[in-house]
Amino acid sequence: QVQLVESGGGSARPGGSLRLSCASFGLSVSNYAMAWFRQAVGKEREFVAAEPVIGKISYADSVKGRFTFSRSNARNTVYLQLDNLKPEDTAVYYCAARGIGSHGYDYWGRGTQVTVSS
C-alpha cells in the first residue's frame, strides 16, 4: 500500500540547517504532485512548498529564499532543505502526494518534528 516515510527532522539553532526527506512506497513520485506542509502547536496547518508533475516549484512567502524543494525520481524521494532556520519554523512537517487526476492531496506522511531554538 501507499506509504510516505519522512526523516531528517530534529533540533537546530537559529540560522542552522536541516534536510528533510520523504521516501515514497507504493507510488512513483514522478507521477504525483508532491508537497510539504507544516503545523505548529496551536496553529493551523500551512502550506510550505510543492512541485506539480508539470510546472514550477512554489513556496510560501514565509520560507521563500530559505527552503529548497527537490525531487529524486531515481530514489523515489522528495526533499526539503531548510536553511537559515528561525524559531517560527518550529513545527511538525508533513509530506503529501497528489495524483494526476486528483484535486486534493491523497496521501500524507506521519510528520517529522523540527525544533528551532537557542
Side-chain angles (χ1 to χ4, degrees):
Q1 60 180 322
V2 173
Q3 187 176 17
L4 304 180
V5 181
E6 297 147 312
S7 61
S11 299
R13 295 180 179 180
S17 298
L18 290 170
R19 183 172 182 258
L20 309 183
S21 298
C22 174
S24 64
F25 302 87
L27 65 81
S28 174
V29 300
S30 65
N31 296 323
Y32 286 79
M34 303 296 295
W36 290 93
F37 292 79
R38 68 185 182 185
Q39 185 171 24
V41 174
K43 296 186 177 181
E44 297 180 354
R45 183 173 296 182
E46 65 176 344
F47 168 80
V48 176
E51 183 180 41
V53 176
I54 300 176
K56 63 180 182 180
I57 299 170
S58 61
Y59 297 93
D61 289 340
S62 60
V63 307
K64 193 172 299 182
R66 300 189 298 117
F67 292 4
T68 305
F69 178 100
S70 63
R71 179 191 307 240
S72 174
N73 292 334
R75 296 179 173 84
N76 211 29
T77 300
V78 298
Y79 307 91
L80 187 68
Q81 178 69 37
L82 287 63
D83 293 319
N84 193 22
L85 284 162
K86 302 177 180 180
E88 51 263 44
D89 294 320
T90 296
V92 177
Y93 284 70
Y94 298 91
C95 178
R98 186 180 72 212
I100 296 174
S102 180
H103 179 70
Y105 286 92
D106 303 300
Y107 306 106
W108 294 80
R110 293 171 294 180
T112 184
Q113 177 71 47
V114 170
T115 302
V116 184
S117 64
S118 300

